[in-house]
Amino acid sequence: MANYFQEEIECMPVEKIKALQNELLPAQVRYVWENVEYYRNKMKAHGVTPDDIKSIDDLHKLPFMSKADLRDAYPYGLLAVPLSECVRIQSTSGTTGKRVVAFYTQGDIDIWEDCTARAICAAGGTKDDVCQVSYGYGLFTGGPGLDGGSHKVGCLTIPTSSGNTERQIMFIMDLHATILCCTPSYAAYIGETLKEMGYKPEDIPLKAGIFGAEAWSEEMRRDIEKTLGIKAYDIYGLTEISGPGVSFECSEQRGMHINEDHFLAEIIDPNTGEVLPEGTQGELVFTALDKKAFPLIRYRTRDICTLTREKCSCGRTHVRMTKPKGRSDDMLIIRGVNVFPSQIETVLMNNGYAANYQIIVGRVNNTDTFEVKVEMTPDMFTDNVGEVQARRKVLEDGLRSMLGIKAKVTLVAPKTITRSEGKAVRVIDTRKI
Amino acid sequence: MSVNQVSVFLENKPGTLNNLTEILAAHNINIRALSLAETSEFGIVRMLVNDVFEATNVLKENNFVAIITPVLAYAIEDKAGYLNNLLKHFSAASVNIEYMYAFAGKERAYMIFRVNDTKKAEALLQSKGLKSLTQEEIAAV
């Protein structure tokens, strides 16, 4: 039995979806033209006005937006409503200058939460479920997004946020959580921990998991499903467009349905910007059709994937996208926890050391490994092995309390951290996707 | 008088010690005594060299972390029982040894001690009639 949150929209015939988009797009372009000077200037420079956009067939005439535009316009340059209309911000990054700060009106939040509610229903969620949200709450969209969707569905929501695995497990077992929402690597970690504690899949009350915000393989999906005794569903989103729930997987587990009544998707050639036909792999581009506060048009996600309109047996008609091949961004998600390189810098500085470090993330047995290489300095060094070890330990403890997860600190010789064009390479992520 | 030891951080992997000796060799610096403490990830080289100033400068120029550590050096007879006699004085004065290493010269043997309070230990041992070697004395060995 397929389970929908908004069946009339989710299963709308394709022609009706197109008609809806044809109605929404010209109005949205005019709205952005009138309210966002930054994009109006971009359109002018591109020789296009709202009059040129009569249907979704004219979409290709509009200029792209990219992360660079978000940076240039930071913080208020892309805001389309007075600040007094905004009720929330979410952000992707810390202090390294590449932050994305997205604004939301209450209406925008509602749209977003509808989308995550659809994802929860697609995973079989109903008001009888107990939904544990183990994504980070806060600036990261994962926690708030799924939390809102869970409320809309009417699940009993357990807002554990990420970290503190023992407490996560206590709630899953004691309160009989049936749906787990977190990053796939954190799900794997929770699963391994339960296994070590002697729980068998049939002892665990969970039946479904909604996992996203990082890349994961089919093999990892099978491992998680086996360890936790659940069905694992992928979810996709990005803060620039709203958050998790831009697209989500159904029980078919063959691509994620994009919520096309809100988000118009295109695939382009990342080099030429040319729109590619359905079924061709390319860069995913989104246009928000009815967002008010932070309405991006033709936003280049840098995610590489394919779209398909093949009929899905779940009954949903919305276009499906394949799992993207990762995203370049500042924020790392390690064992389900957001890690910003700037936080590591802060810990080093707090201890009076120079910030010469490198983060090395890998994955062994579906669990993330997290190492921080720190270049030795005269301030950190003594002739006493025990003392040097103790100082290393202080850094490990500092990182743990800053990040909420354990990192292994390795002391390395000065000037040994990989540098590229003179700049230290801060992150090496070898996780296979 | 305490003696200046050069302490250097090395990663625990093949070639790092050789990189160090390469630089010292290129600058004609003679190592008089050397000991190496290691963990699984890093090591600390402690050495007495003929030119401490030059050694620390060239090491820093070549991106090594090198610091100067005061140690106490004592010359003893190179015969059975003499280290035992020396250590009895350390025990009697309650001087705790963090680490030590030794080398034998042509006529005498030389014991290098790292203690937590060098000045205090030196004074205590001096009062027992033990005189530590100076930088010049150890260089002349």
Side-chain angles (χ1 to χ4, degrees), chain A residues 409-431:
Chain A
V409 170
T410 307
L411 300 173
V412 298
K415 306 275 189 286
T416 53
I417 282 174
T418 333
R419 279 159 170 82
S420 161
E421 291 168 349
K423 274 190 74 182
V425 177
R426 289 288 174 232
V427 178
I428 294 181
D429 192 341
T430 61
R431 289 179 288 191

Side-chain angles (χ1 to χ4, degrees), chain A residues 383-385 388 408 413-414, chain B residues 7 11 41 46 65 69 99 114:
Chain A
D383 61 317
N384 183 317
V385 174
V388 174
K408 176 183 186 316
Chain B
S7 310
E11 287 182 45
E41 278 150 19
R46 296 124 173 194
V65 173
T69 316
Y99 59 81
R114 173 73 163 123

Side-chain angles (χ1 to χ4, degrees), chain B residues 51-89:
Chain B
D51 191 334
V52 174
F53 182 73
E54 176 76 358
T56 48
N57 277 341
V58 298
L59 287 174
K60 280 174 191 169
E61 277 165 22
N62 286 281
N63 296 323
F64 280 88
V65 173
I67 58 169
I68 293 172
T69 316
V71 290
L72 294 174
Y74 293 92
I76 57 172
E77 294 300 311
D78 192 1
K79 288 178 185 156
Y82 279 82
L83 175 59
N84 184 46
N85 288 339
L86 177 64
L87 291 179
K88 273 182 182 163
H89 291 295

Side-chain angles (χ1 to χ4, degrees), chain B:
Chain B
M1 275 297 286
S2 62
V3 170
N4 285 331
Q5 166 192 283
V6 179
S7 310
V8 189
F9 175 83
L10 289 183
E11 287 182 45
N12 191 352
K13 62 185 186 190
T16 53
L17 184 58
N18 192 196
N19 292 342
L20 171 81
T21 56
E22 190 78 50
I23 288 157
L24 295 180
H27 290 84
N28 204 25
I29 292 162
N30 187 22
I31 303 168
R32 306 308 314 276
L34 184 147
S35 104
L36 186 52
E38 96 289 347
T39 71
S40 58
E41 278 150 19
F42 65 89
I44 299 174
V45 172
R46 296 124 173 194
M47 56 189 178
L48 300 185
V49 295
N50 63 342
D51 191 334
V52 174
F53 182 73
E54 176 76 358
T56 48
N57 277 341
V58 298
L59 287 174
K60 280 174 191 169
E61 277 165 22
N62 286 281
N63 296 323
F64 280 88
V65 173
I67 58 169
I68 293 172
T69 316
V71 290
L72 294 174
Y74 293 92
I76 57 172
E77 294 300 311
D78 192 1
K79 288 178 185 156
Y82 279 82
L83 175 59
N84 184 46
N85 288 339
L86 177 64
L87 291 179
K88 273 182 182 163
H89 291 295
F90 277 69
S91 306
S94 290
V95 173
N96 188 42
I97 299 164
E98 285 186 12
Y99 59 81
M100 74 162 287
Y101 49 104
F103 66 102
K106 279 185 186 125
E107 289 158 8
R108 312 185 81 189
Y110 301 89
M111 307 293 131
I112 322 295
F113 297 94
R114 173 73 163 123
V115 296
N116 56 6
D117 188 336
T118 312
K119 282 205 153 51
K120 191 176 156 203
E122 195 190 354
L124 281 168
L125 294 165
Q126 182 107 45
S127 69
K128 308 281 180 194
L130 292 171
K131 195 184 164 300
S132 65
L133 301 180
T134 63
Q135 197 82 38
E136 290 70 34
E137 286 169 324
I138 202 89
V141 169

